[in-house]
Amino acid sequence: MGGPELFLPSSERELSDWLRSRVAETGPAVTGTGNPGPGSSLPGEDGATGLTMVSTSRMAEVVSFRPRDLTIEVGAGLRMQRLCEIVEDEGLWIPAAGIGAARSIGGWIAAATPTIWDASHGPVRRQLLGCRVAAADGAELTWGRAVMKNVAGYDLPRLMAGSRGRLGILTRVTIRLWPRPEAITAWEIRGDVRSFVLGSGEADAVTWVWTRTRGEQINAMFTGSSDSVRRRAGSLAARARASRAEIVEADVGLVPGVGRGERLPGSVVYLLTPGRRYLPEVFRTLVARNDARLAAIEAIPESGTMLVFLEPDQVDSESADEFLSHFSASGARSGGAGEREPEFGIERGGPAEHQAAEALRAQGARSVEHRLERALGAWPRVWQADYL
Amino acid sequence: MQALHPLPPDVESALLAVVGSNGLITDPVRLLAYEADALTTTRGTPRAVLLPESRRELVEAVRVLHSAGLSFVPRGAGTGLSGGAVAHDTVILTTTRLDQILRIDPEDHTALLEPGVVTAQISIAAAQYGLRYLPDPASATACTIGGNVAMNSGGPHCLKHGVTSDHVLGLEILLPDGTTTWLGRGADGGLDLAGLFIGSEGTIGIISSVLVGLSPLATETRALLGLFDGVGAAGAAVSEVFERGLVPVALELIDQATIRLVEESVFAVGLPTDVAAALVIECEGDPEDVEADLEIAAAACRAHGAQEVRIARDETERLAIWQARKKAYGVLGRAAPDVFVQDAVVPRTELERLLPEIERIARSHGLRLANFFHAGDGNLHPNLMFDRRDAAEVRRVELAGSEIMRLCVDAGGTITGEHGVGSDKVRYMPLMFGLDELDVMNRLHEAFDADGRANPGKVLPAASYQEPD
């Protein structure tokens, strides 16, 4: 079986027309715009046939750039590297470092990939002010506006962020911009990093990285005026040295998870969301397993999220799933703060009752999701997550 | 006054069995207290008011209403400004007695709350752990977290910190058919289902508990006051602040009419009453950074002709600066019996042009205007003062309001930034959305509330709705 067919529309109209004809002929058997996001399989890998991959890479125009209002509207296919260059030329900034320079802005939003700036600037859904969407039936829908706050009607822009194309294909996005910090610096801490994991008090963002070759390290990021960055980084360095950890200033562009240069090893990526409380335990459990399939882990402790990279040449998707299911069965949470109903302090009975209650709750959330998908004519198999 | 359609006896008995006699109001005189929210120009008579004391009672009450085919209007503290909690011959479900902070987790930086918890209480309870809840609607000492979530409320400090939706991690929701489920933000790879319910104004279900994120207390917070001869100049200084690379935690504008009303009241703080506008700019963080940021803000004000810039020297002075802003809505009562407040948001750079234009519209209709708003977000709150007993004046307010709304939408803005659509702005929804978008939102609504029983008549320009006898 060959790879999926590729469709490269140059305009919203072309995409909508194609979707309408597609629906009329075969139903919405459409797949996404590029590589799938963490935890998914590539279109066609599971034996599904008749899928066509849609790429928005030709829809990459700058529609409206208002630097003084800190907003920009662009085609969903615009690559992050180009977008960052455009806004940086005007002294502005997108808190999206680390998501991949070749990736499209639409892919980043559709996948809602966490970044190290989530805690300081808000996650992807906060950056998305508005969007245009090609719906399953070909309708061209506009959600949101180029303004900082908007509660008119249901919050469809936020629903689109992270929907991976299931509720329609993003064709244009309007995002919030930030003043470019005068200075951005990165520091690497090695050795005993325990006391720096859950934020240092000085840094604006912290990532916790493990690779098979280099072991553990903390990347501490600082943004702001040159004076502010120098002062706070100096304070962190003094604390690190006092605890006998090694600290060095790093090239921002080369720090894993931060720059646009170096990528972490491994390519089968899983996004886990243990939450702030459980993240250190999950991180250490994974490292302690010493599994040859594990290539790297990158965690953002403040937002409780982590990416797990597996060695691509040692695993197929089945054994990768087995790796993760073994991890889940070990009791480590993959739901994270907010994703599971809290206990409310109510005694729920034994493990069997607890498990049954968990299953019911999962069913409840799925039911809500299905209602939504039915109402919007959504495609459960569409992925708009990465780049081509 | 009498409820238009008293509850059927069997339904009343079933509800009494759930909430008890203290949890059900049917006395027409007591129902008067629920005929409006803080938008007092929109009123309605509820059939009854339910005040459940537990989540179990809330769920059971909704199930009774569902079985009887009756609709309901969810209501928090009634501080909303869009007529979202007004009931026209329907049952009001009030969550104010569900006021328990169920848990604060200082390690996870989260708080699990019942919907009736008063918003300001969250930060008070979290302070012992060095934490706080960031969104701060002006009514934070009275409004409830359930109401905030339903409306996706904002507040002055949402400029830097984000709105309610940015701080909610998960929700327990109660659908109109009485089923409950927990929804997260999609961090496990699913859709942001909680995000859909945030800001849905009670039209697709009721929020029965909320998990919010908490943030560390600020090391230092300081404010300055910039005084201007012209409203347009103050608007221009707002953009200048951002162009100089600063994103303050709050940036508010107060106009002369408001300053004068404050200074004539018991809340007077000694502001000069001859200035056209004042900006309140607040910064927080590391003390040395705050000092530098205030200098940037002061320079931006001076660049646009500020006649004076006062930097608060201590906490007392900072609170005095804020008093003028925070008491502004209350002192409007000194000028007129009624106020019509709008909530449009425009691109920030449009402020300089639109502020004088809004003043012109008010003048052209012979109306008094007071303006105080979240300038940093471009979130306008023009307040038109009037007397609702004067039918001609009410009509002029409606016309002026409509003109202001169109002006803002034509400038690329939105009809509401934080107050919600409610019943007040339903008529403006077609300014924002085409038929395709409204159709999608209607389908979405029908997926959760096919019979239109949850807060009927709100948010969406609705199909006709008939309450059964």
PDB file of all heavy atoms in Angstrom, chain A residues 103-135:
ATOM      1  N   ARG A 103       7.681  23.746  11.693  1.00  0.00           N
ATOM      2  CA  ARG A 103       6.269  23.482  11.911  1.00  0.00           C
ATOM      3  C   ARG A 103       5.428  24.687  11.493  1.00  0.00           C
ATOM      4  O   ARG A 103       5.884  25.814  11.498  1.00  0.00           O
ATOM      5  CB  ARG A 103       6.086  23.232  13.400  1.00  0.00           C
ATOM      6  CG  ARG A 103       4.814  22.602  13.757  1.00  0.00           C
ATOM      7  CD  ARG A 103       4.883  22.191  15.206  1.00  0.00           C
ATOM      8  NE  ARG A 103       3.852  21.244  15.480  1.00  0.00           N
ATOM      9  CZ  ARG A 103       3.654  20.727  16.677  1.00  0.00           C
ATOM     10  NH1 ARG A 103       4.464  21.042  17.669  1.00  0.00           N
ATOM     11  NH2 ARG A 103       2.694  19.879  16.877  1.00  0.00           N
ATOM     12  N   SER A 104       4.170  24.438  11.158  1.00  0.00           N
ATOM     13  CA  SER A 104       3.293  25.553  10.799  1.00  0.00           C
ATOM     14  C   SER A 104       2.598  26.096  12.038  1.00  0.00           C
ATOM     15  O   SER A 104       2.399  25.373  13.014  1.00  0.00           O
ATOM     16  CB  SER A 104       2.248  25.092   9.784  1.00  0.00           C
ATOM     17  OG  SER A 104       1.356  24.186  10.393  1.00  0.00           O
ATOM     18  N   ILE A 105       2.202  27.369  11.948  1.00  0.00           N
ATOM     19  CA  ILE A 105       1.469  27.973  13.060  1.00  0.00           C
ATOM     20  C   ILE A 105       0.141  27.233  13.273  1.00  0.00           C
ATOM     21  O   ILE A 105      -0.278  26.996  14.418  1.00  0.00           O
ATOM     22  CB  ILE A 105       1.252  29.495  12.819  1.00  0.00           C
ATOM     23  CG1 ILE A 105       0.431  30.133  13.942  1.00  0.00           C
ATOM     24  CG2 ILE A 105       0.572  29.787  11.498  1.00  0.00           C
ATOM     25  CD1 ILE A 105       1.137  30.255  15.248  1.00  0.00           C
ATOM     26  N   GLY A 106      -0.499  26.833  12.176  1.00  0.00           N
ATOM     27  CA  GLY A 106      -1.759  26.090  12.306  1.00  0.00           C
ATOM     28  C   GLY A 106      -1.548  24.757  13.006  1.00  0.00           C
ATOM     29  O   GLY A 106      -2.369  24.328  13.812  1.00  0.00           O
ATOM     30  N   GLY A 107      -0.416  24.113  12.689  1.00  0.00           N
ATOM     31  CA  GLY A 107      -0.117  22.834  13.323  1.00  0.00           C
ATOM     32  C   GLY A 107       0.115  22.981  14.812  1.00  0.00           C
ATOM     33  O   GLY A 107      -0.334  22.161  15.617  1.00  0.00           O
ATOM     34  N   TRP A 108       0.827  24.056  15.182  1.00  0.00           N
ATOM     35  CA  TRP A 108       1.090  24.280  16.609  1.00  0.00           C
ATOM     36  C   TRP A 108      -0.223  24.472  17.364  1.00  0.00           C
ATOM     37  O   TRP A 108      -0.451  23.878  18.421  1.00  0.00           O
ATOM     38  CB  TRP A 108       1.985  25.516  16.780  1.00  0.00           C
ATOM     39  CG  TRP A 108       2.208  25.891  18.219  1.00  0.00           C
ATOM     40  CD1 TRP A 108       2.512  25.033  19.241  1.00  0.00           C
ATOM     41  CD2 TRP A 108       2.117  27.197  18.795  1.00  0.00           C
ATOM     42  NE1 TRP A 108       2.638  25.744  20.418  1.00  0.00           N
ATOM     43  CE2 TRP A 108       2.390  27.062  20.177  1.00  0.00           C
ATOM     44  CE3 TRP A 108       1.852  28.464  18.288  1.00  0.00           C
ATOM     45  CZ2 TRP A 108       2.397  28.153  21.048  1.00  0.00           C
ATOM     46  CZ3 TRP A 108       1.861  29.541  19.156  1.00  0.00           C
ATOM     47  CH2 TRP A 108       2.136  29.384  20.524  1.00  0.00           C
ATOM     48  N   ILE A 109      -1.098  25.280  16.792  1.00  0.00           N
ATOM     49  CA  ILE A 109      -2.359  25.566  17.477  1.00  0.00           C
ATOM     50  C   ILE A 109      -3.269  24.333  17.484  1.00  0.00           C
ATOM     51  O   ILE A 109      -3.891  24.012  18.490  1.00  0.00           O
ATOM     52  CB  ILE A 109      -3.046  26.777  16.822  1.00  0.00           C
ATOM     53  CG1 ILE A 109      -2.247  28.027  17.177  1.00  0.00           C
ATOM     54  CG2 ILE A 109      -4.493  26.910  17.267  1.00  0.00           C
ATOM     55  CD1 ILE A 109      -2.564  29.235  16.363  1.00  0.00           C
ATOM     56  N   ALA A 110      -3.313  23.639  16.357  1.00  0.00           N
ATOM     57  CA  ALA A 110      -4.189  22.462  16.283  1.00  0.00           C
ATOM     58  C   ALA A 110      -3.743  21.378  17.264  1.00  0.00           C
ATOM     59  O   ALA A 110      -4.561  20.637  17.797  1.00  0.00           O
ATOM     60  CB  ALA A 110      -4.210  21.914  14.865  1.00  0.00           C
ATOM     61  N   ALA A 111      -2.433  21.288  17.488  1.00  0.00           N
ATOM     62  CA  ALA A 111      -1.930  20.275  18.421  1.00  0.00           C
ATOM     63  C   ALA A 111      -1.853  20.800  19.848  1.00  0.00           C
ATOM     64  O   ALA A 111      -1.747  20.028  20.788  1.00  0.00           O
ATOM     65  CB  ALA A 111      -0.542  19.800  17.979  1.00  0.00           C
ATOM     66  N   ALA A 112      -1.898  22.121  20.009  1.00  0.00           N
ATOM     67  CA  ALA A 112      -1.794  22.764  21.331  1.00  0.00           C
ATOM     68  C   ALA A 112      -0.581  22.247  22.098  1.00  0.00           C
ATOM     69  O   ALA A 112      -0.661  21.943  23.287  1.00  0.00           O
ATOM     70  CB  ALA A 112      -3.065  22.568  22.147  1.00  0.00           C
ATOM     71  N   THR A 113       0.530  22.152  21.412  1.00  0.00           N
ATOM     72  CA  THR A 113       1.745  21.673  22.049  1.00  0.00           C
ATOM     73  C   THR A 113       2.173  22.624  23.161  1.00  0.00           C
ATOM     74  O   THR A 113       2.261  23.829  22.934  1.00  0.00           O
ATOM     75  CB  THR A 113       2.895  21.601  21.015  1.00  0.00           C
ATOM     76  OG1 THR A 113       2.394  20.986  19.833  1.00  0.00           O
ATOM     77  CG2 THR A 113       4.069  20.826  21.563  1.00  0.00           C
ATOM     78  N   PRO A 114       2.419  22.092  24.354  1.00  0.00           N
ATOM     79  CA  PRO A 114       2.852  22.986  25.431  1.00  0.00           C
ATOM     80  C   PRO A 114       4.238  23.569  25.154  1.00  0.00           C
ATOM     81  O   PRO A 114       5.045  22.959  24.450  1.00  0.00           O
ATOM     82  CB  PRO A 114       2.886  22.080  26.663  1.00  0.00           C
ATOM     83  CG  PRO A 114       2.828  20.689  26.166  1.00  0.00           C
ATOM     84  CD  PRO A 114       2.303  20.702  24.773  1.00  0.00           C
ATOM     85  N   THR A 115       4.497  24.747  25.670  1.00  0.00           N
ATOM     86  CA  THR A 115       5.828  25.340  25.550  1.00  0.00           C
ATOM     87  C   THR A 115       6.323  25.723  26.937  1.00  0.00           C
ATOM     88  O   THR A 115       5.549  25.759  27.893  1.00  0.00           O
ATOM     89  CB  THR A 115       5.829  26.615  24.669  1.00  0.00           C
ATOM     90  OG1 THR A 115       5.462  27.736  25.483  1.00  0.00           O
ATOM     91  CG2 THR A 115       4.886  26.503  23.494  1.00  0.00           C
ATOM     92  N   ILE A 116       7.595  26.050  26.997  1.00  0.00           N
ATOM     93  CA  ILE A 116       8.145  26.424  28.304  1.00  0.00           C
ATOM     94  C   ILE A 116       7.577  27.741  28.812  1.00  0.00           C
ATOM     95  O   ILE A 116       7.701  28.065  29.976  1.00  0.00           O
ATOM     96  CB  ILE A 116       9.680  26.535  28.254  1.00  0.00           C
ATOM     97  CG1 ILE A 116      10.086  27.578  27.217  1.00  0.00           C
ATOM     98  CG2 ILE A 116      10.302  25.198  27.996  1.00  0.00           C
ATOM     99  CD1 ILE A 116      11.541  27.954  27.333  1.00  0.00           C
ATOM    100  N   TRP A 117       6.934  28.494  27.942  1.00  0.00           N
ATOM    101  CA  TRP A 117       6.404  29.796  28.359  1.00  0.00           C
ATOM    102  C   TRP A 117       4.956  29.704  28.813  1.00  0.00           C
ATOM    103  O   TRP A 117       4.325  30.726  29.063  1.00  0.00           O
ATOM    104  CB  TRP A 117       6.543  30.819  27.211  1.00  0.00           C
ATOM    105  CG  TRP A 117       7.928  30.914  26.681  1.00  0.00           C
ATOM    106  CD1 TRP A 117       8.362  30.489  25.461  1.00  0.00           C
ATOM    107  CD2 TRP A 117       9.081  31.414  27.366  1.00  0.00           C
ATOM    108  NE1 TRP A 117       9.715  30.706  25.331  1.00  0.00           N
ATOM    109  CE2 TRP A 117      10.181  31.270  26.492  1.00  0.00           C
ATOM    110  CE3 TRP A 117       9.292  31.960  28.626  1.00  0.00           C
ATOM    111  CZ2 TRP A 117      11.468  31.664  26.837  1.00  0.00           C
ATOM    112  CZ3 TRP A 117      10.574  32.346  28.976  1.00  0.00           C
ATOM    113  CH2 TRP A 117      11.645  32.200  28.092  1.00  0.00           C
ATOM    114  N   ASP A 118       4.393  28.496  28.902  1.00  0.00           N
ATOM    115  CA  ASP A 118       2.985  28.352  29.289  1.00  0.00           C
ATOM    116  C   ASP A 118       2.700  29.024  30.630  1.00  0.00           C
ATOM    117  O   ASP A 118       1.673  29.679  30.806  1.00  0.00           O
ATOM    118  CB  ASP A 118       2.599  26.874  29.377  1.00  0.00           C
ATOM    119  CG  ASP A 118       2.374  26.263  28.001  1.00  0.00           C
ATOM    120  OD1 ASP A 118       2.621  26.962  27.003  1.00  0.00           O
ATOM    121  OD2 ASP A 118       1.976  25.091  27.938  1.00  0.00           O
ATOM    122  N   ALA A 119       3.600  28.824  31.599  1.00  0.00           N
ATOM    123  CA  ALA A 119       3.332  29.365  32.935  1.00  0.00           C
ATOM    124  C   ALA A 119       3.433  30.886  32.944  1.00  0.00           C
ATOM    125  O   ALA A 119       2.671  31.564  33.628  1.00  0.00           O
ATOM    126  CB  ALA A 119       4.307  28.761  33.950  1.00  0.00           C
ATOM    127  N   SER A 120       4.365  31.450  32.170  1.00  0.00           N
ATOM    128  CA  SER A 120       4.568  32.898  32.228  1.00  0.00           C
ATOM    129  C   SER A 120       3.685  33.664  31.246  1.00  0.00           C
ATOM    130  O   SER A 120       3.303  34.804  31.518  1.00  0.00           O
ATOM    131  CB  SER A 120       6.041  33.235  31.968  1.00  0.00           C
ATOM    132  OG  SER A 120       6.453  32.719  30.716  1.00  0.00           O
ATOM    133  N   HIS A 121       3.340  33.060  30.098  1.00  0.00           N
ATOM    134  CA  HIS A 121       2.578  33.785  29.085  1.00  0.00           C
ATOM    135  C   HIS A 121       1.254  33.119  28.725  1.00  0.00           C
ATOM    136  O   HIS A 121       0.511  33.635  27.895  1.00  0.00           O
ATOM    137  CB  HIS A 121       3.413  33.938  27.808  1.00  0.00           C
ATOM    138  CG  HIS A 121       4.570  34.871  27.962  1.00  0.00           C
ATOM    139  ND1 HIS A 121       5.716  34.519  28.660  1.00  0.00           N
ATOM    140  CD2 HIS A 121       4.764  36.140  27.543  1.00  0.00           C
ATOM    141  CE1 HIS A 121       6.558  35.548  28.636  1.00  0.00           C
ATOM    142  NE2 HIS A 121       6.010  36.535  27.980  1.00  0.00           N
ATOM    143  N   GLY A 122       0.976  31.968  29.320  1.00  0.00           N
ATOM    144  CA  GLY A 122      -0.261  31.264  29.000  1.00  0.00           C
ATOM    145  C   GLY A 122      -0.050  30.265  27.891  1.00  0.00           C
ATOM    146  O   GLY A 122       0.835  30.439  27.049  1.00  0.00           O
ATOM    147  N   PRO A 123      -0.875  29.214  27.867  1.00  0.00           N
ATOM    148  CA  PRO A 123      -0.728  28.177  26.845  1.00  0.00           C
ATOM    149  C   PRO A 123      -1.236  28.632  25.484  1.00  0.00           C
ATOM    150  O   PRO A 123      -1.710  29.763  25.327  1.00  0.00           O
ATOM    151  CB  PRO A 123      -1.584  27.029  27.394  1.00  0.00           C
ATOM    152  CG  PRO A 123      -2.605  27.698  28.248  1.00  0.00           C
ATOM    153  CD  PRO A 123      -1.947  28.930  28.808  1.00  0.00           C
ATOM    154  N   VAL A 124      -1.134  27.742  24.506  1.00  0.00           N
ATOM    155  CA  VAL A 124      -1.502  28.067  23.121  1.00  0.00           C
ATOM    156  C   VAL A 124      -2.874  28.717  23.040  1.00  0.00           C
ATOM    157  O   VAL A 124      -3.070  29.699  22.332  1.00  0.00           O
ATOM    158  CB  VAL A 124      -1.544  26.768  22.282  1.00  0.00           C
ATOM    159  CG1 VAL A 124      -1.977  27.066  20.864  1.00  0.00           C
ATOM    160  CG2 VAL A 124      -0.201  26.086  22.298  1.00  0.00           C
ATOM    161  N   ARG A 125      -3.841  28.159  23.783  1.00  0.00           N
ATOM    162  CA  ARG A 125      -5.205  28.661  23.631  1.00  0.00           C
ATOM    163  C   ARG A 125      -5.331  30.124  24.040  1.00  0.00           C
ATOM    164  O   ARG A 125      -6.236  30.812  23.599  1.00  0.00           O
ATOM    165  CB  ARG A 125      -6.192  27.795  24.403  1.00  0.00           C
ATOM    166  CG  ARG A 125      -5.927  27.671  25.881  1.00  0.00           C
ATOM    167  CD  ARG A 125      -7.035  26.862  26.563  1.00  0.00           C
ATOM    168  NE  ARG A 125      -6.753  26.681  27.964  1.00  0.00           N
ATOM    169  CZ  ARG A 125      -6.239  25.579  28.495  1.00  0.00           C
ATOM    170  NH1 ARG A 125      -5.965  24.549  27.729  1.00  0.00           N
ATOM    171  NH2 ARG A 125      -6.005  25.495  29.780  1.00  0.00           N
ATOM    172  N   ARG A 126      -4.399  30.592  24.897  1.00  0.00           N
ATOM    173  CA  ARG A 126      -4.444  32.024  25.239  1.00  0.00           C
ATOM    174  C   ARG A 126      -3.875  32.874  24.108  1.00  0.00           C
ATOM    175  O   ARG A 126      -4.233  34.049  23.964  1.00  0.00           O
ATOM    176  CB  ARG A 126      -3.677  32.291  26.539  1.00  0.00           C
ATOM    177  CG  ARG A 126      -3.948  33.703  27.027  1.00  0.00           C
ATOM    178  CD  ARG A 126      -3.279  34.091  28.315  1.00  0.00           C
ATOM    179  NE  ARG A 126      -3.487  35.517  28.535  1.00  0.00           N
ATOM    180  CZ  ARG A 126      -2.708  36.284  29.260  1.00  0.00           C
ATOM    181  NH1 ARG A 126      -1.678  35.777  29.894  1.00  0.00           N
ATOM    182  NH2 ARG A 126      -2.962  37.565  29.391  1.00  0.00           N
ATOM    183  N   GLN A 127      -2.966  32.320  23.339  1.00  0.00           N
ATOM    184  CA  GLN A 127      -2.348  33.104  22.247  1.00  0.00           C
ATOM    185  C   GLN A 127      -3.296  33.231  21.058  1.00  0.00           C
ATOM    186  O   GLN A 127      -3.168  34.132  20.246  1.00  0.00           O
ATOM    187  CB  GLN A 127      -1.034  32.461  21.781  1.00  0.00           C
ATOM    188  CG  GLN A 127      -0.099  31.967  22.882  1.00  0.00           C
ATOM    189  CD  GLN A 127       0.206  33.006  23.952  1.00  0.00           C
ATOM    190  OE1 GLN A 127       0.262  34.205  23.671  1.00  0.00           O
ATOM    191  NE2 GLN A 127       0.383  32.554  25.189  1.00  0.00           N
ATOM    192  N   LEU A 128      -4.247  32.282  20.927  1.00  0.00           N
ATOM    193  CA  LEU A 128      -5.154  32.270  19.771  1.00  0.00           C
ATOM    194  C   LEU A 128      -6.330  33.200  20.015  1.00  0.00           C
ATOM    195  O   LEU A 128      -7.170  32.948  20.868  1.00  0.00           O
ATOM    196  CB  LEU A 128      -5.661  30.840  19.528  1.00  0.00           C
ATOM    197  CG  LEU A 128      -6.594  30.670  18.330  1.00  0.00           C
ATOM    198  CD1 LEU A 128      -5.857  30.946  17.022  1.00  0.00           C
ATOM    199  CD2 LEU A 128      -7.212  29.281  18.317  1.00  0.00           C
ATOM    200  N   LEU A 129      -6.407  34.277  19.239  1.00  0.00           N
ATOM    201  CA  LEU A 129      -7.500  35.231  19.401  1.00  0.00           C
ATOM    202  C   LEU A 129      -8.648  34.938  18.454  1.00  0.00           C
ATOM    203  O   LEU A 129      -9.800  35.249  18.742  1.00  0.00           O
ATOM    204  CB  LEU A 129      -6.991  36.657  19.154  1.00  0.00           C
ATOM    205  CG  LEU A 129      -5.846  37.124  20.044  1.00  0.00           C
ATOM    206  CD1 LEU A 129      -5.363  38.500  19.598  1.00  0.00           C
ATOM    207  CD2 LEU A 129      -6.272  37.160  21.504  1.00  0.00           C
ATOM    208  N   GLY A 130      -8.321  34.374  17.312  1.00  0.00           N
ATOM    209  CA  GLY A 130      -9.364  34.097  16.331  1.00  0.00           C
ATOM    210  C   GLY A 130      -8.853  33.141  15.278  1.00  0.00           C
ATOM    211  O   GLY A 130      -7.650  32.896  15.179  1.00  0.00           O
ATOM    212  N   CYS A 131      -9.774  32.604  14.492  1.00  0.00           N
ATOM    213  CA  CYS A 131      -9.346  31.690  13.440  1.00  0.00           C
ATOM    214  C   CYS A 131     -10.429  31.571  12.378  1.00  0.00           C
ATOM    215  O   CYS A 131     -11.584  31.893  12.623  1.00  0.00           O
ATOM    216  CB  CYS A 131      -9.027  30.308  14.023  1.00  0.00           C
ATOM    217  SG  CYS A 131     -10.353  29.561  14.962  1.00  0.00           S
ATOM    218  N   ARG A 132      -9.997  31.120  11.214  1.00  0.00           N
ATOM    219  CA  ARG A 132     -10.951  30.715  10.183  1.00  0.00           C
ATOM    220  C   ARG A 132     -10.796  29.224   9.994  1.00  0.00           C
ATOM    221  O   ARG A 132      -9.681  28.696  10.041  1.00  0.00           O
ATOM    222  CB  ARG A 132     -10.708  31.478   8.880  1.00  0.00           C
ATOM    223  CG  ARG A 132     -11.294  32.890   8.941  1.00  0.00           C
ATOM    224  CD  ARG A 132     -11.020  33.692   7.694  1.00  0.00           C
ATOM    225  NE  ARG A 132     -11.587  33.096   6.490  1.00  0.00           N
ATOM    226  CZ  ARG A 132     -12.875  33.226   6.120  1.00  0.00           C
ATOM    227  NH1 ARG A 132     -13.708  33.913   6.867  1.00  0.00           N
ATOM    228  NH2 ARG A 132     -13.309  32.686   4.997  1.00  0.00           N
ATOM    229  N   VAL A 133     -11.919  28.574   9.788  1.00  0.00           N
ATOM    230  CA  VAL A 133     -11.941  27.116   9.780  1.00  0.00           C
ATOM    231  C   VAL A 133     -12.721  26.624   8.569  1.00  0.00           C
ATOM    232  O   VAL A 133     -13.787  27.147   8.270  1.00  0.00           O
ATOM    233  CB  VAL A 133     -12.645  26.594  11.065  1.00  0.00           C
ATOM    234  CG1 VAL A 133     -12.734  25.077  11.045  1.00  0.00           C
ATOM    235  CG2 VAL A 133     -11.919  27.081  12.303  1.00  0.00           C
ATOM    236  N   ALA A 134     -12.168  25.633   7.883  1.00  0.00           N
ATOM    237  CA  ALA A 134     -12.936  24.932   6.848  1.00  0.00           C
ATOM    238  C   ALA A 134     -13.592  23.745   7.534  1.00  0.00           C
ATOM    239  O   ALA A 134     -12.910  22.828   7.986  1.00  0.00           O
ATOM    240  CB  ALA A 134     -12.017  24.477   5.724  1.00  0.00           C
ATOM    241  N   ALA A 135     -14.919  23.796   7.644  1.00  0.00           N
ATOM    242  CA  ALA A 135     -15.645  22.749   8.355  1.00  0.00           C
ATOM    243  C   ALA A 135     -15.812  21.524   7.457  1.00  0.00           C
ATOM    244  O   ALA A 135     -15.565  21.583   6.251  1.00  0.00           O
ATOM    245  CB  ALA A 135     -17.000  23.275   8.801  1.00  0.00           C
TER     246      ALA A 135
END
